[in-house]
């Protein structure tokens, strides 16, 4: 039903006898014959055209400003229920529906048949077409007409957008349910309506509750009160058509009638019986024969309508249309969206995101920077930066495949080329990881998704590149091999934790991504030239310092050096930077240390499982499968932190993927609690199941997050997003629902200045 066209401003005041627009009135010219009007049957034979987008309809308001004075003759006898007040905006929230040509024909025929049953002095007014014969949009009301002050428009819109979004409603479909009569709240108009059946997901009730909560927040009346608060129902020939105040009439109840003293409750009765689409109205109360005609039409199944609902809209005054929420943009329920940091309130921070990093490495600054700048020029401009990152990761995956084929025991010796392949793969990964940001700036594709994708791949790589290092040193599935494969997870987690609080990635004078990878590649090449047995030789054969190293081999000092570097250099630096950031923001320090829970559980559970004397994983050489599984577990854990950092959401304290790791630790230590140890076969199948679970959960989550960010920002992940031409900006904004005219924007700015 179209909203009543009352003016909003005294600037458009008329005397009530405004002249018609003669440009829109067909005229006959002397000497010319007016063409015969085509028959209705011929018109109906043409197929329905594809529906126009909502943004197009919003550009052309069906309402026409007529007068600020209450003149019922201008509105077919209707009287204004809300008096016109300058600066006040009558607001209505609704779901709009544009019936097709065939649907309009069905509804028109029904109105014609029912109109013939009326007395000559009673007219059934159609809501399907304007006076000029143009089709009008119909709607399902989600609010009464709410008078808002100018200063309330923006906050009301924002509150409504949040409430509708948090309702968790996805696109849905509703169907019609016959015909009936419904009176408005004042019982001075009766509407012929098409009732709407309750959708399976109860979406209409959920949207109604969302809008009613916002209306009550602004001390406005709610639509469709609880049954125990409603006035006596209107009866027609012993029937109770409906008891609600009609959503389309411009009326408002007092606060006492609505019960605004109590907060809106989710326990309100089911209001499904009240939702409808109005197709006609009359000022006369329906009589018995008219009610019977309605029943006959409904029982014959004359109306079988199906509406696809994707958008909730609001109208303020005469012609200001707002797409409150396009339901198709969200694929998550609100709790899931908030939990995964991809609800709209979270994603909005991506639009103002700016990458920040500090790299103090002298090698990066004076040597590798020139190498990276030259390398990026070799990349084609059609190559997306995220694809550059992914290609670098493919080098690591290729090394893992070669390792499993040619050196599955992780001891060797293997062919020399395999060790060189490890070094080349790690170096190319490092190169791609450092030039992806430069490629983003070259192609104009920089976004928060780039940092998330980059650090997500880094997290996946932690246990895989180090697996190549384990094999290059010939450590195998030994305690030292397990340590070498999993130790990079610790500095990676704490660097991510530091970035979350400081919003800056800090790399010191000696850091893992630069100097650490250079050392790893050098060791891999040394293994290719001398063989992996070089690392079991005494350190004094390489460095003549017997008073320091004694008879210890490189492998003997490997673990103390690596762990000490993390414990006494990397971790303190991260903690110091976080403490500085928290103090600068005048925030407490204690809560940040509780955020270590995920890495404590990850490290403790993994250690308890693998190092247990009752576990068979190390003995049976299952380290590759374990590291592949931990790649997804650790990748999910740290990437969630980066996502929370980008979207300014609470620190993610847990991931479901840690539960099977705890279960593995228990499974590997059953004899410690008095239970028999599991067989090697059971433990292996448990690990295989854990790998499949981690794989599915990780990729489902990754695709969900990437698609949500890409949809929100209007970008592509692995391909270059074309930039719109300047003359396409206006059409793009309209397609996204930004249909506010320049004049309206200017008026909004003027109102804002007045408020200030």
């Amino acid at each position: 039903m179209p909203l009543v066209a009352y003016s909003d401003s005294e600037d458009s005041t008329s005397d009530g006898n405004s002249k018609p627009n003669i440009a829109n009135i067909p005229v006959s010219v002397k000497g010319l014959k007016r063409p015969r009007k085509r028959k209705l049957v011929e018109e109906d034979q043409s197929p329905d055209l594809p529906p126009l987008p909502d943004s197009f309809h919003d550009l052309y308001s069906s309402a026409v400003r007529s007068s600020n004075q209450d003149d019922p003759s201008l509105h077919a006898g209707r009287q204004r229920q809300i008096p016109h007040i300058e600066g006040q905006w009558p607001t209505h929230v609704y779901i709009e529906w544009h019936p097709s040509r065939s649907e309009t024909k069905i509804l028109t025929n029904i109105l014609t048949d029912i109109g013939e049953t009326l007395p000559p002095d009673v007219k059934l007014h159609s809501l399907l077409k304007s006076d000029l014969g143009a089709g009008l949009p119909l709607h399902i009301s989600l609010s009464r007409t709410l008078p808002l002050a100018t200063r309330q428009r923006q906050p009301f819109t924002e509150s409504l957008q949040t409430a509708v979004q948090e309702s968790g409603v996805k696109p849905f479909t509703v169907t019609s349910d016959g015909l009936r009569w419904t009176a408005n709240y004042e019982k001075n108009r009766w509407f012929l309506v098409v009732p709407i059946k309750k959708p399976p997901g109860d979406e209409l009730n959920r949207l109604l509750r969302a809008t009613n909560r916002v209306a009550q927040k602004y001390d406005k009346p709610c639509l469709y009160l609880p049954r125990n608060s409603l006035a006596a129902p209107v009866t027609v020939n012993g029937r109770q058509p409906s008891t609600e105040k009609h959503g389309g009439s411009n009326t408002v109840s007092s606060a006492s009638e609505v019960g605004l003293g109590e907060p809106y409750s989710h326990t309100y009765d089911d209001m499904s019986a009240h939702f409808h689409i109005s197709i006609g109205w009359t000022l006369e109360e329906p009589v018995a024969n008219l009610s019977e005609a309605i029943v006959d039409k409904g029982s014959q199944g004359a109306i079988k309508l199906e509406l696809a609902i994707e958008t909730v809209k609001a109208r303020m005054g005469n012609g200001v249309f707002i797409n409150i929420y396009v339901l198709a943009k969200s694929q998550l329920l609100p709790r899931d969206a908030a939990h995964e940091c991809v609800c709209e309130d979270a994603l909005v921070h991506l639009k103002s995101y700016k990458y920040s990093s500090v790299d103090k490495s002298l090698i990066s600054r004076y040597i590798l920077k020139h190498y990276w700048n030259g390398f990026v020029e070799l990349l084609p401009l059609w190559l997306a930066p995220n694809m550059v990152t992914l290609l670098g990761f493919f080098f690591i995956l290729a090394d893992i495949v070669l390792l499993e084929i040619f050196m599955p025991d992780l001891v060797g010796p293997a062919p020399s080329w395999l060790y060189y392949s490890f070094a080349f793969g790690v170096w190319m990964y490092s190169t791609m990881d450092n030039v992806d940001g430069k490629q983003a700036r070259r192609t104009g594709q920089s976004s928060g998704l780039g940092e998330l994708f980059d650090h997500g791949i880094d997290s996946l790589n932690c246990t895989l590149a180090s697996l190549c290092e384990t094999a290059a040193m010939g450590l195998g599935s030994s305690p030292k091999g397990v340590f070498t494969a999993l130790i990079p997870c610790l500095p990676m987690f704490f660097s991510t934790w530091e970035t979350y609080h400081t919003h800056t990635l800090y790399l010191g004078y000696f850091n893992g991504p630069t100097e650490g990878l250079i050392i790893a590649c050098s060791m891999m090449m040394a293994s290719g030239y001398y063989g992996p047995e070089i690392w079991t030789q005494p350190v004094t054969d390489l460095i003549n310092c017997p008073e320091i190293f004694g008879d210890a081999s490189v492998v003997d000092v490997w673990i103390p050096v690596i762990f000490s570097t993390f414990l006494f250099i990397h971790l303190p630096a991260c903690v110091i930077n976080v403490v500085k950031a928290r103090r600068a923001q005048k925030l407490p320090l204690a809560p940040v240390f509780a955020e270590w829970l995920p890495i404590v559980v990850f490290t403790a559970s993994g250690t308890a499982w693998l190092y247990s004397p009752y576990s068979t994983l190390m003995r049976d050489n299952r380290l590759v499968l374990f590291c592949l599984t931990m790649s997804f577990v650790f990748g999910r854990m740290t990437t969630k932190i980066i996502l929370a950092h980008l979207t300014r959401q609470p620190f993610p304290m847990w991931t479901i993927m840690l539960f099977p790791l705890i279960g593995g630790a228990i499974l590997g230590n059953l004899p410690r609690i008095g239970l028999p140890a599991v067989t090697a076969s059971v433990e292996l199948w448990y690990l295989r199941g854990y790998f499949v679970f981690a794989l599915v959960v990780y990729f489902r989550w990754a695709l969900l997050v990437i698609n949500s960010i890409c949809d929100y920002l209007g970008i592509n992940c692995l391909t270059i997003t074309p930039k719109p031409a300047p003359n396409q900006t206006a059409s793009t904004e309209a397609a996204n629902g930004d249909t506010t005219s320049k004049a309206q924007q200017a008026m909004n700015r003027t109102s804002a200045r007045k408020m200030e």
Side-chain angles (χ1 to χ4, degrees):
M1 169 185 169
L3 304 180
V4 180
Y6 291 121
S7 180
D8 306 318
S9 171
E10 295 295 339
D11 296 339
S12 57
T13 303
S14 66
D15 57 2
N17 297 315
S18 57
K19 296 181 181 180
N21 184 355
I22 61 174
N24 294 328
I25 301 178
V27 297
S28 59
V29 181
K30 188 174 181 180
L32 295 177
K33 271 190 174 182
R34 177 182 294 182
R36 283 186 75 182
K37 185 181 292 185
R38 295 181 180 177
K39 294 182 180 179
L40 182 61
V41 176
E42 295 177 356
E43 180 182 346
D44 295 334
Q45 288 176 350
S46 60
D48 289 339
L49 295 175
L52 292 169
D54 290 340
S55 57
F56 177 85
H57 293 291
D58 295 345
L59 295 173
Y60 303 94
S61 173
S62 59
V64 181
R65 295 180 183 269
S66 299
S67 174
N68 290 332
Q69 307 300 323
D70 186 10
D71 187 353
S73 65
L74 298 176
H75 306 286
R78 293 173 292 179
Q79 295 185 353
R80 187 196 304 269
Q81 302 298 329
I82 298 179
H84 172 76
I85 301 176
E86 186 176 0
Q88 196 172 77
W89 298 78
T91 301
H92 182 221
V93 184
Y94 58 97
I95 295 172
E96 192 170 72
W97 175 52
H98 292 268
S100 64
R101 184 176 299 175
S102 59
E103 291 167 336
T104 302
K105 176 189 174 183
I106 293 173
L107 298 176
T108 300
N109 290 341
I110 290 175
L111 287 175
T112 301
D113 294 343
I114 295 176
E116 293 175 354
T117 65
L118 292 171
D121 57 338
V122 177
K123 182 178 180 181
L124 178 61
H125 300 270
S126 173
L127 296 173
L128 304 176
K129 293 186 177 182
S130 67
D131 294 338
L132 299 179
L136 297 176
L138 305 179
H139 69 264
I140 303 173
S141 289
L142 294 176
S143 77
R144 296 189 179 190
T145 301
L146 312 174
L148 298 177
T150 301
R151 68 178 183 278
Q152 294 177 315
R153 290 174 56 200
Q154 184 62 28
F156 178 88
T157 301
E158 293 174 355
S159 298
L160 190 59
Q161 288 172 333
T162 300
V164 173
Q165 172 190 330
E166 292 179 349
S167 68
V169 176
K170 299 179 182 179
F172 63 101
T173 302
V174 296
T175 56
S176 60
D177 189 20
L179 291 165
R180 74 163 186 250
W181 285 103
T182 293
N184 65 355
Y185 194 81
E186 292 74 21
K187 305 181 189 64
N188 56 14
R189 292 173 68 195
W190 282 261
F191 294 84
L192 180 60
V193 303
V194 178
I196 300 300
K197 292 181 180 179
K198 181 178 180 178
D202 200 23
E203 289 87 353
L204 291 176
N205 270 315
R206 288 155 61 186
L207 291 174
L208 176 66
R209 290 165 187 158
T211 54
N212 276 346
R213 281 197 301 272
V214 177
Q216 196 173 50
K217 175 182 177 181
Y218 288 84
D219 293 333
K220 305 301 178 184
C222 299
L223 179 63
Y224 305 152
L225 305 179
R227 289 172 183 156
N228 57 7
S229 301
L230 290 173
V234 180
T235 59
V236 179
N237 195 25
R239 294 168 56 86
Q240 295 183 0
S242 179
T243 56
E244 80 276 6
K245 175 255 177 194
H246 188 271
S249 59
N250 294 336
T251 61
V252 60
S253 301
S254 65
S256 61
E257 292 173 297
V258 182
L260 291 177
E262 300 177 0
Y264 187 89
S265 171
H266 283 282
T267 60
Y268 271 23
D269 293 343
D270 185 359
M271 299 299 171
S272 300
H274 300 291
F275 295 110
H276 60 265
I277 298 174
S278 299
I279 62 174
W281 62 274
T282 179
L283 295 174
E284 302 294 332
E285 182 176 0
V287 292
N289 62 337
L290 189 55
S291 177
E292 292 170 359
I294 293 295
V295 174
D296 291 341
K297 279 290 178 185
S299 63
Q300 293 171 6
I303 297 183
K304 293 182 179 179
L305 304 176
E306 185 173 290
L307 290 69
I309 309 299
E310 294 185 352
T311 307
V312 175
K313 306 185 73 171
R315 177 173 177 170
M316 294 183 173
N318 287 321
V320 180
F321 296 92
I322 302 173
N323 284 335
I324 292 299
Y325 191 57
V326 181
L327 303 174
K329 289 184 178 178
S330 176
Q331 302 299 324
L332 293 174
L333 292 177
R335 60 180 181 274
D336 298 328
H339 180 66
E340 303 300 352
C341 302
V342 290
C343 61
E344 189 166 353
D345 288 343
L347 295 179
V348 69
H349 296 286
L350 293 175
K351 294 185 176 180
S352 58
Y353 162 80
K354 290 185 178 180
Y355 179 70
S356 175
S357 67
V358 174
D359 188 353
K360 298 181 179 180
S361 170
L362 300 179
I363 295 178
S364 295
R365 184 182 304 177
Y366 296 108
I367 301 175
L368 292 180
K369 180 180 69 173
H370 305 290
Y371 161 69
W372 294 329
N373 289 338
F375 187 91
V376 75
E377 296 296 330
L378 302 177
L379 301 179
L381 291 175
W382 51 261
L383 187 63
N386 288 337
M387 181 58 76
V388 174
T389 309
L390 192 59
L391 289 175
F393 187 55
F394 285 161
F395 283 100
I396 300 296
L397 294 180
D399 281 341
I400 297 300
V401 173
L402 294 175
L403 180 151
E404 187 66 15
I405 294 174
F406 294 98
M407 194 168 45
D409 61 353
L410 306 179
V411 177
S416 296
W417 64 264
L418 183 61
Y419 300 104
Y420 293 128
S421 172
F422 292 163
F424 178 74
V426 172
W427 181 256
M428 288 305 299
Y429 168 79
S430 174
T431 299
M432 294 296 193
D433 187 47
N434 281 282
V435 303
D436 53 5
K438 300 179 185 296
Q439 179 73 353
R441 290 185 285 274
R442 286 180 72 213
T443 57
Q445 302 291 302
S446 299
S447 70
L449 178 62
E451 180 178 351
L452 181 68
F453 197 89
D454 183 288
H455 289 274
I457 295 295
D458 289 341
S459 300
L460 291 175
N461 180 60
C462 273
T463 62
L464 301 183
S466 58
L467 196 60
C468 296
E469 180 69 16
T470 300
M473 296 182 68
L475 299 177
S477 294
S478 64
K480 294 177 181 178
V482 170
F483 174 87
T484 303
L486 297 179
I487 187 62
C489 295
L490 290 177
M492 179 66 185
F493 176 87
F494 285 101
S495 290
T496 307
W497 171 73
E498 176 190 25
T499 302
Y500 174 84
H501 289 287
T502 63
H503 301 293
T504 300
L505 174 63
Y506 288 98
L507 298 175
Y509 293 101
F510 189 95
N511 60 75
T514 304
E515 287 78 9
L517 285 178
I518 291 176
I519 293 175
C521 291
S522 300
M523 295 178 69
M524 293 172 186
M525 288 189 293
S527 294
Y529 188 81
Y530 296 104
E533 57 272 10
I534 187 178
W535 309 116
T536 59
Q537 296 179 5
V539 177
T540 53
D541 291 351
L542 303 174
I543 304 175
N544 189 19
C545 296
E547 64 278 3
I548 298 177
F549 298 103
D551 296 333
S553 66
V554 175
V555 172
D556 293 333
V557 301
W558 174 254
I559 292 179
V561 169
I562 296 299
F563 188 71
S564 299
T565 302
F566 161 73
L567 189 61
F568 299 113
I569 299 178
H570 184 85
L571 181 59
C574 293
V575 172
I576 290 172
N577 287 331
V578 171
V579 169
K580 289 180 179 178
R582 298 286 289 187
R583 286 178 174 172
Q585 301 172 43
K586 298 182 179 179
L587 296 174
L589 297 178
V592 301
F593 297 105
E595 296 166 353
W596 293 6
L597 175 64
I599 193 62
V600 170
V601 173
F602 178 84
T603 304
S605 299
T607 301
W609 189 0
L610 288 175
Y611 286 93
S612 171
Y614 307 103
S615 174
T616 63
L617 295 183
M618 279 201 294
R619 185 190 67 197
D620 294 344
N621 192 27
R622 307 299 180 187
L623 184 56
V624 173
L625 179 59
F626 187 85
C627 286
L628 285 171
T629 306
M630 292 305 102
S631 174
F632 294 116
V633 176
F634 183 75
R636 167 80 179 268
M637 188 167 65
T638 52
T639 309
K640 288 183 69 174
I641 301 174
I642 288 295
L643 179 60
H645 147 65
L646 295 174
T647 57
R648 305 301 175 96
Q649 298 299 299
F651 189 91
M653 296 293 294
W654 194 253
T655 170
I656 192 175
M657 297 169 74
L658 288 175
F659 283 114
L661 184 58
I662 298 174
I666 296 174
L667 190 70
N669 290 275
L670 289 179
R672 297 184 187 275
I673 56 177
L675 298 175
V678 298
T679 63
S681 177
V682 170
E683 190 174 19
L684 175 59
W685 279 106
Y686 182 88
L687 180 59
R688 288 171 176 170
Y690 188 10
F691 170 74
V692 173
F693 171 77
L695 177 71
V696 172
V697 171
Y698 181 87
F699 276 104
R700 176 191 173 276
W701 172 80
L703 291 174
L704 182 150
V705 171
I706 290 174
N707 289 336
S708 298
I709 293 177
C710 288
D711 290 344
Y712 185 80
L713 297 179
I715 60 176
N716 302 328
C717 179
L718 298 178
T719 58
I720 296 293
T721 304
K723 295 183 179 180
N727 58 354
Q728 293 178 340
T729 303
S731 60
T732 302
E733 292 176 351
N736 290 329
D738 186 7
T739 57
T740 306
S741 65
K742 292 183 178 179
Q744 184 61 48
Q745 293 174 5
M747 182 183 67
N748 293 342
R749 290 193 295 268
T750 302
S751 300
R753 286 195 294 268
K754 289 181 179 179
M755 291 173 59
E756 294 174 355

